[in-house]
């Protein structure tokens, strides 16, 4: 029995650790804030909110497995939401009515934006040799600047709200529609990683880019697919933000970049590349939302401490990853 438990733990170390932390946190909340935390409304709120940055984390995971990073997720998300609002206003007017079927076009807009931004990131990295951290940071600043110019730095809230009303609602009264979007995207990425050659090539490239290249892998195509997928996920995250806030602005979700990196690293994806599973990242997404929601239940704890806690957890996760990888490098 013990050998079986050890075997399961070794196969899913990151997930097991996170599940233990989750169990401890849930027990702690049961003893301290059970009436406020364990309510149907709070659980629905948590399930409806984390898809925003959860989608960005799923895309960022792919980039980190290559040994790179995507810092353009928030800029991409805001660009997608702002262009969506402009499109709705132009076609239906500020006070008009949007047919619900037009939501398909909205998602297509997000996908096109993701393809354009992801292609730009991949071009800078694979063709011009710009380090991923600099390329994606520069693209993020470019997108944020464009968003500020397009909106004059203010929020846009006058547009048809049918899309927002639909996706901020719940299916059957208890399943957030934004959660369904997250689940669909997560299944697609899981299939890509675990049941397609893409996942094998991605991990090989992250382990050693030169070996991957000499193995016959088209590394340029691989990077383009990876960054395009990441940017599409970020753009979809922007649509979820739009549904939540019912408005678009250039500086929404500014802390999501750090949060998505935290989630990816905490989920067991190595910043050095070559290692990572979607199960760990999804577990980390759920855990952090539970912790954030739990902290907000304590009136004596300021919400300003949340960012401080996330920064400390990110540093701790990086240290743990470095220590756990060190013996392997020494061999």
């Amino acid at each position: 029995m013990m050998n079986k438990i050890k075997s399961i733990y070794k196969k899913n170390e990151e997930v097991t650790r996170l599940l233990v932390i989750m169990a401890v946190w849930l027990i702690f909340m049961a003893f301290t804030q059970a009436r406020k935390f364990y309510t149907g409304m709070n659980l629905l709120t948590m399930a409806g909110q984390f898809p925003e940055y959860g989608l960005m984390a799923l895309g960022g995971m792919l980039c980190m497995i290559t040994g790179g990073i995507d810092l353009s997720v928030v800029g991409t998300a805001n660009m997608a939401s702002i262009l969506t609002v402009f499109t709705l206003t132009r076609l239906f007017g500020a006070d008009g009515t949007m047919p619900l079927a037009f939501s398909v076009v909205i998602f297509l807009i997000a996908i096109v934006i993701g393809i354009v931004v992801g292609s730009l990131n991949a071009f800078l990295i694979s063709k011009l040799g710009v380090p991923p951290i600099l390329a994606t940071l520069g693209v993020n600043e470019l997108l944020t600047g464009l968003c500020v110019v397009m909106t004059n730095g203010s929020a846009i809230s006058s547009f048809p709200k049918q899309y927002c009303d639909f996706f901020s609602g719940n299916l059957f009264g208890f399943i957030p529609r934004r959660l369904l979007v997250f689940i669909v995207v997560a299944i697609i990425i899981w299939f890509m990683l675990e049941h397609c050659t893409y996942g094998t090539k991605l991990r090989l490239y992250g382990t050693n880019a030169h070996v991957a290249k000499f193995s016959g892998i088209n590394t340029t195509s691989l990077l383009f697919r990876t960054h395009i997928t990441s940017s599409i996920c970020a753009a979809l995250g922007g649509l979820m933000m739009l549904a939540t806030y019912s408005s678009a602005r250039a500086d929404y979700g500014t802390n999501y970049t750090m949060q998505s990196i935290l989630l990816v690293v905490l989920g067991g994806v190595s910043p050095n590349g070559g290692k990572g599973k979607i199960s760990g990242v999804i577990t980390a997404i759920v855990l952090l939302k539970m912790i954030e929601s739990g902290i907000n239940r304590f009136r004596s704890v300021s919400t300003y401490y949340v960012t401080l806690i996330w920064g400390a957890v990110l540093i701790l996760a990086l240290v743990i990853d470095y220590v756990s990888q060190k013996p392997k490098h020494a061999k």
Side-chain angles (χ1 to χ4, degrees):
M1 183 66 176
M2 286 300 295
N3 290 333
K4 208 169 189 179
I5 294 174
K6 286 181 180 179
S7 176
I8 294 172
Y9 174 76
K10 285 181 179 179
K11 286 181 180 178
N12 302 280
E13 289 184 33
E14 292 81 13
V15 175
T16 306
R17 274 196 228 115
L18 293 174
L19 288 175
V20 170
I21 296 172
M22 189 183 296
V24 172
W25 180 254
L26 290 174
I27 292 171
F28 172 73
M29 292 305 299
F31 280 103
T32 57
Q33 298 288 334
R35 291 183 179 179
K36 295 181 180 178
F37 186 79
Y38 290 101
T39 64
M41 181 60 69
N42 186 48
L43 295 176
L44 273 177
T45 301
M46 285 192 290
Q49 286 180 347
F50 75 73
E52 296 172 14
Y53 55 80
L55 287 165
M56 300 179 197
L58 292 181
M61 170 191 68
L62 299 177
C63 294
M64 193 169 286
I65 292 176
T66 67
I69 196 169
D70 188 356
L71 299 179
S72 64
V73 290
V74 172
T76 306
N78 285 324
M79 178 60 75
S81 62
I82 289 170
L83 286 181
T84 296
V85 168
F86 281 176
T87 302
L88 293 177
T89 305
R90 178 63 65 89
L91 294 178
F92 305 106
D95 301 315
T97 301
M98 182 203 84
L100 198 55
F102 195 79
S103 298
V104 176
V105 178
I106 291 176
F107 278 89
L108 289 176
I109 291 172
I111 292 172
V112 170
I113 292 170
I115 292 172
V116 172
V117 176
S119 297
L120 177 58
N121 283 332
F123 176 78
L124 293 172
I125 295 167
S126 64
K127 293 296 186 181
L128 302 184
V130 181
I133 190 171
L134 296 179
T136 57
L137 179 61
V139 169
N140 185 71
E141 292 302 309
L142 173 65
L143 293 172
T144 301
L146 287 172
C147 290
V148 171
V149 171
M150 292 164 65
T151 61
N152 292 319
S154 59
I156 305 173
S157 55
S158 297
F159 63 94
K161 297 293 197 323
Q162 285 71 31
Y163 163 82
C164 300
D165 295 338
F166 182 75
F167 279 97
S168 61
N170 303 315
L171 186 66
F172 305 124
F174 63 93
I175 304 175
R177 292 188 176 93
R178 286 165 291 177
L179 178 62
L180 294 178
V181 174
F182 175 82
I183 291 172
V184 170
V185 174
I187 291 172
I188 292 172
I189 292 180
W190 166 79
F191 186 82
M192 289 169 59
L193 282 175
E194 306 300 333
H195 295 278
C196 297
T197 56
Y198 170 79
T200 305
K201 292 176 181 177
L202 194 70
R203 292 187 176 98
L204 177 58
Y205 180 89
T207 303
N208 193 313
H210 294 293
V211 171
K213 189 172 183 178
F214 287 114
S215 297
I217 295 175
N218 187 337
T219 55
T220 299
S221 173
L222 183 67
L223 286 175
F224 266 84
R225 280 182 287 165
T226 300
H227 281 277
I228 286 173
T229 304
S230 177
S231 294
I232 289 175
C233 289
L236 293 176
L239 294 187
M240 299 304 102
M241 287 167 56
L242 179 62
T244 301
Y245 303 136
S246 291
S247 63
R249 188 169 172 166
D251 60 352
Y252 278 163
T254 50
N255 62 329
Y256 284 171
T257 300
M258 191 273 288
Q259 265 187 280
S260 62
I261 295 171
L262 169 61
L263 292 166
V264 172
V265 175
L266 199 62
V269 180
S270 173
N272 297 317
K275 174 192 171 189
K277 290 184 177 180
I278 193 173
S279 56
V281 176
I282 291 176
T283 308
I285 291 169
V286 176
L287 172 62
L288 254 70
K289 189 58 198 178
M290 285 184 175
I291 293 176
E292 182 182 9
S293 178
I295 292 173
N296 290 335
R297 302 283 82 80
F298 294 92
R299 292 183 179 179
S300 58
V301 180
S302 171
T303 54
Y304 294 114
Y305 284 106
V306 174
T307 303
L308 173 66
I309 294 170
W310 291 165
V313 172
L314 176 58
I315 293 172
L316 180 62
L318 289 170
V319 170
I320 292 173
D321 178 78
Y322 174 77
V323 172
S324 63
Q325 293 294 320
K326 199 172 181 182
K328 296 179 183 179
H329 294 319
K331 289 181 180 179

